[in-house]
Amino acid sequence: MAQVPQTFLDALAVRTWCSLALTALGRAREEIDAINVYPVADGDTGTNLYLTLESAATAVEAVFAGYETGRAEPSLGDAARAMAHGALIGARGNSGTILAQLLRGMAQVLAETGDEPAASRADGPGLRRALRRAADSARQAVAHPVEGTVLTVASAAADAAEEAGDDCRTVARAAYEGARTALAATPDQLGVLRRAGVVDAGGRGLVTVLGALVEAVTGEAVRETAGGVSGAGPAGHGAGSGGHGAGPAGACAAGPGTEPACQGESGDDRGGAGGPAFEVIYLLEADDAAVARLRARLDALGDSLVVVGGDGLWNVHVHVDDAGAAVEAGVEAGRPYRIRITHFGHGEPHPGRERPSRAPAQRAVVAVVPGEGLAGLYGEAGATTVLARPGEPPASGELVQAVRRAHAREVVLLPNDAELRHTAAAAAEQARTEGIRVALIPTRSAVQGIAALAVHEPRRRFDEDVVQMTSAAGATRYAEVVVAERQSWTTAGICQAGDVLGLIDGDVAVIGTDVTATARTVLDRMLQSGGELVTLVVGDDAPETAAAHLEARVRESYLAVDTVVYHGGRQGALLLIGVE
C-alpha cells in the first residue's frame, strides 16, 4: 500500500496505521512467538499481538464502512476511539492487553480534537502527547511493572518523541528509533533474555507497530532485518539459541543470585514450574471503585495482573491457581463476560468449555472461498467453508470458528488468498492451543484450493496427505480477470478505471478492454509453458459466452489439455483461471 507523506495524523492515517501494523505483525508473528523465553515454551506473544491489532483494525474499518453518507470520512476522534475499543474487546494474552492500553492512551489524546473531519487532526505535539499518555497509562495498568519489557520500550519511545521537533513525521521517527534502542537493551535489564540471547518479545512487537506508524505518516517503510541483540536491525530482535518459549513481554526481575524472580506483570509469562496453573481473561462492566477493589483482590490471588480500560468497560488478565476465585471476584465487581480460562501446559479444551457430544472426525478441510458457487463445490467435496465476500475478508476468529465447526482432530486449512496468509497462520496457531492439529497450505487462489482438494485423501497419514495437497496446489498456476476501479500503475503499465485486467500469479500481465479477449490472452500466456488441465471459475458478472469461448480455444489450440468449468457466483473477480 503506497502512502502519501503528510505532516499530521487524521482518521485516514489511523486507518492506514492499523492496516500496516496488522500486516507487519503478521509477517513478524512467528518470529515474535519464537523469542518468548520466559518462563515456558508455549510462545504466543506474536499471535496475541496480531489478534489484538486485528480486532482494532476491524473496528476502525467498521467505522469507515458505516459512516453516514455526505461526510468523506469519520473524525480522528471517531477512528481513534474505535481503534482503542476494538483492541480492548479483542485483547489476547498479557502483551495484547498491554497493547490495548497503549492504544487507549493514545486515543484519549487523539480524541481531544474536534469531531469535524476537516479540523480533526493531530500535529507533532499532539502525537507526542499521545505517545506519552500511552506509555504512562500502560505502566499504571500493570500491577508490578518491571524494566526490560514492553513497558520500557513504550516509555523510551515517548521519551525520544519529547526531544523531537514539531513535525508529525519527525515525532514518529524519533519514537520508533527510541523504541528500537530500548529494545536492543532489554537483555541487559532481564537476565532471562540475556541468557537466551534474545530481546523482549512484547517490546519487539511494539517496535513493529511503531514502524507501521512511521510508514503511515511518511510513506516510507522502515527496514527490518533479522539478527541478534548485538547489531540488531530496526526491529532489534534477537535470534539466540533459546529462541522458543513463551513469556515476556515478561516481567521478571533478578532475584537472589542470578535467577530471575517472577513478577508476572508485563508479558506473556505463562506460569512455569511452581507458577499459577491458569490464565484467566474476561471483559468486565464495572465502575472505577469496584475495579480498584478487584485489582487488590486479584493481586493477592495470583500474578501477571493487568487491568486495562475505563469508562465502565475493562479487560482483566491474571494468572492464578484458583480460576473460579478470579471469576467470582469479577462477578462481585460487576458483570464479567467473554471469560477465557487456559490451563497452562495442556492442549485440552479450556475449563468451562462444553465438549461436543459427538466424537470428532479424524480429519477435515477448512477453506476460504470467494463466492457461493464455490462454497457449494467445496462443500460437496466435504470441506467446511468460510465465505469471503468482495471487500470483506474473514478475520482470524471466523477461521478458528470454522476449524471448530469442522469438529476434527486434524484440519487442513486452505486460505485461497495471498492476503490471508497471516490471518490464516494466526488462526491455525490459535486452534493448535485447543489441541487441534492444523496444517496450513498457503494456497493463493481458490483454483489452487480446488487442485489441493482433488487429491485430498483422509485415509492417508496426515503428513502425507498435506504433502500431496501442497504439491497439487503448488503445481497450479492461477490467474484472475477483474475490472480496474481506478487509474493505477501496474506491472503492465498504467490502467484506467474500467479497464479489464488480467493478473497471472498475482501480477497484472494484460490490460484490455474486452473481458473475453483479455481472458484469452491470459490463458494463452499460461499455457505457453505447458499444462494438462484448465480450470475456469466464472463469476456472475462475466459475459455468458466467455467460458464457451475459452473452452473452444483450449480444445482447438492445445491438444491433450482438458477443461473444467465451475460457476462461482458473486466472487469479486469476473473469472478465475487455473492451469495444472
Side-chain angles (χ1 to χ4, degrees), residues 110-420:
L110 299 178
E112 292 172 357
T113 61
D115 285 331
E116 289 302 319
S120 180
R121 56 184 60 176
D123 55 9
L127 178 57
R128 188 160 52 231
R129 291 194 303 273
L131 290 166
R132 173 53 63 194
R133 180 77 65 85
D136 292 347
S137 62
R139 192 169 286 270
Q140 292 165 6
V142 173
H144 303 286
V146 168
E147 299 309 322
T149 66
V150 62
L151 299 179
T152 303
V153 176
S155 295
D159 292 343
E162 295 283 357
E163 305 300 323
D166 289 341
D167 181 85
C168 196
R169 292 171 292 186
T170 304
V171 172
R173 283 197 183 99
Y176 172 71
E177 293 298 336
R180 275 185 57 202
T181 301
L183 178 66
T186 54
D188 296 329
Q189 297 169 296
L190 282 177
V192 64
L193 301 178
R194 182 172 60 254
R195 288 189 292 275
V198 298
V199 295
D200 176 65
R204 168 70 173 90
L206 179 58
V207 168
T208 299
V209 172
L210 291 175
L213 177 61
V214 173
E215 185 175 355
V217 298
T218 67
E220 300 173 358
V222 298
R223 183 180 61 87
E224 296 198 20
T225 58
V229 174
S230 177
H237 58 275
S241 60
H244 292 280
C252 251
T258 60
E259 292 304 310
C262 175
Q263 301 297 322
E265 15 348 26
S266 106
D268 288 309
D269 41 2
R270 286 294 183 96
F278 297 98
E279 177 187 56
V280 179
I281 304 173
Y282 50 79
L283 292 177
L284 176 70
E285 293 178 357
D287 58 36
D288 292 2
V291 170
R293 294 191 296 271
L294 176 65
R295 287 179 190 268
R297 181 168 178 185
L298 292 179
D299 194 25
L301 282 175
D303 60 30
S304 296
L305 174 61
V306 185
V307 181
V308 304
D311 302 320
L313 180 62
W314 309 82
N315 191 306
V316 179
H317 174 284
V318 67
H319 293 177
V320 293
D321 281 320
D322 189 345
V327 175
E328 289 173 6
V331 172
E332 292 181 6
R335 186 177 79 86
Y337 59 102
R338 291 195 186 179
I339 301 168
R340 296 195 300 272
I341 302 173
T342 303
H343 186 237
F344 296 136
H346 292 78
E348 298 177 0
H350 297 170
R353 177 178 293 167
E354 292 185 6
R355 296 179 181 270
S357 56
R358 61 186 176 91
Q362 183 61 33
R363 189 174 309 160
V365 175
V366 172
V368 180
V369 291
E372 291 86 352
L374 282 180
L377 173 67
Y378 273 76
E380 289 174 4
T384 299
T385 60
V386 178
L387 188 62
R389 298 176 178 82
E392 298 180 24
S396 60
E398 293 178 70
L399 300 187
V400 173
Q401 289 294 340
V403 171
R404 292 172 182 155
R405 194 167 68 248
H407 194 44
R409 299 181 181 90
E410 301 167 340
V411 172
V412 179
L413 181 57
L414 306 175
N416 291 341
D417 187 338
E419 297 299 320
L420 286 177

Side-chain angles (χ1 to χ4, degrees), residues 352-571:
R353 177 178 293 167
E354 292 185 6
R355 296 179 181 270
S357 56
R358 61 186 176 91
Q362 183 61 33
R363 189 174 309 160
V365 175
V366 172
V368 180
V369 291
E372 291 86 352
L374 282 180
L377 173 67
Y378 273 76
E380 289 174 4
T384 299
T385 60
V386 178
L387 188 62
R389 298 176 178 82
E392 298 180 24
S396 60
E398 293 178 70
L399 300 187
V400 173
Q401 289 294 340
V403 171
R404 292 172 182 155
R405 194 167 68 248
H407 194 44
R409 299 181 181 90
E410 301 167 340
V411 172
V412 179
L413 181 57
L414 306 175
N416 291 341
D417 187 338
E419 297 299 320
L420 286 177
R421 63 190 185 279
H422 299 317
T423 301
E429 190 67 29
Q430 188 176 357
R432 290 181 190 120
T433 67
E434 301 177 11
I436 304 171
R437 189 180 184 188
V438 182
L440 171 62
I441 298 178
T443 48
R444 294 171 290 174
S445 170
V447 292
Q448 289 188 323
I450 291 172
L453 196 57
V455 300
H456 169 54
E457 177 49 71
R459 288 171 293 186
R460 276 195 296 249
R461 289 179 53 237
F462 184 64
D463 292 340
E464 293 177 356
D465 197 28
V466 171
V467 167
Q468 292 298 321
M469 294 177 72
T470 302
S471 178
T476 303
R477 300 190 69 194
Y478 66 96
E480 58 182 319
V481 178
V482 300
V483 175
E485 296 180 355
R486 62 183 67 87
Q487 183 185 54
S488 303
W489 287 91
T490 77
T491 52
I494 300 175
C495 72
Q496 305 296 327
D499 282 348
V500 180
L501 306 181
L503 291 83
I504 299 177
D505 294 337
D507 293 324
V508 177
V510 181
I511 300 175
T513 57
D514 179 77
V515 174
T516 302
T518 301
R520 184 178 63 247
T521 302
V522 168
L523 185 57
D524 285 339
R525 291 193 184 183
M526 296 178 75
L527 286 172
Q528 283 175 358
S529 57
E532 298 176 357
L533 175 66
V534 171
T535 300
L536 303 175
V537 182
V538 184
D540 283 349
D541 296 327
E544 293 182 2
T545 59
H549 181 91
L550 295 174
E551 279 189 284
R553 175 70 174 175
V554 173
R555 185 171 56 252
E556 295 167 2
S557 303
Y558 302 95
L559 299 178
V561 177
D562 295 326
T563 304
V564 59
V565 179
Y566 301 110
H567 294 283
R570 296 189 59 82
Q571 61 182 21

Side-chain angles (χ1 to χ4, degrees), residues 95-117:
S95 292
T97 306
I98 292 172
L99 176 61
Q101 188 67 3
L102 288 166
L103 296 180
R104 176 179 171 80
M106 292 192 71
Q108 288 173 334
V109 173
L110 299 178
E112 292 172 357
T113 61
D115 285 331
E116 289 302 319

